[in-house]
């Protein structure tokens, strides 16, 4: 199966994500910081708007929070004992935007989407869902 989550970053429920975070992190100071990260205000066409759901695309914390949000899915599929991998295709856009902000650019010959798979921790992870141990 191949799937995608519609409007993933923009549609995250703040309360669900915050509760997941609080299950892992007990420090009140960090909890307050994350709550402020979630309950942000943005300037949209000159109007200040309180953001009621979703997380920021440009924040370095967002990919970690996005991964945390899908942890219940990861756990449920782990119980089925099936091969499962998750990719965030919006990550390329975020990488490009962030590097542009800090006035850096990628090396084009070292940046690519894997056609057949990619190597990670001595495994070759294939696009078709196969996992091959190297060595």
């Amino acid at each position: 199966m191949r799937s995608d989550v519609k409007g993933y970053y923009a549609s995250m429920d703040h309360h669900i994500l915050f509760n997941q975070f609080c299950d892992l992190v007990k420090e009140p100071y960090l909890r307050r910081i994350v709550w402020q990260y979630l309950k942000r205000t943005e300037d949209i066409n000159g109007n200040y708007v309180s953001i009621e759901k979703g997380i920021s695309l440009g924040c370095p914390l967002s990919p970690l929070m996005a991964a945390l949000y899908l942890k219940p899915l990861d756990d449920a599929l782990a119980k089925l004992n099936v091969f499962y991998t998750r990719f965030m295709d919006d990550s390329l856009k975020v990488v490009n935007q962030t590097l542009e902000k800090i006035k850096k650019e990628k090396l084009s010959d070292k940046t690519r989407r894997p056609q057949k798979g990619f190597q990670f921790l001595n495994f070759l992870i294939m696009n078709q869902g196969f996992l091959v141990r190297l060595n």
Side-chain angles (χ1 to χ4, degrees), residues 8 17 43 54 75 95-96 103 105 112 133:
Y8 182 55
L17 182 54
D43 178 350
D75 295 343
V95 166
N96 289 335
K103 299 183 180 175
E105 60 184 88
R112 60 183 168 75
R133 185 179 190 104

Side-chain angles (χ1 to χ4, degrees), residues 9 55-64 66 88-102 104 106 113:
Y9 271 40
I55 60 176
S56 173
L57 285 175
C59 180
L61 181 60
S62 293
L64 294 172
M88 294 181 168
D89 56 350
D90 291 338
S91 62
L92 185 58
K93 179 181 175 185
V94 172
V95 166
N96 289 335
Q97 290 172 342
T98 304
L99 288 175
E100 185 178 317
K101 284 180 187 176
I102 63 171
K104 293 290 179 188
K106 298 185 307 281
R113 285 184 180 240

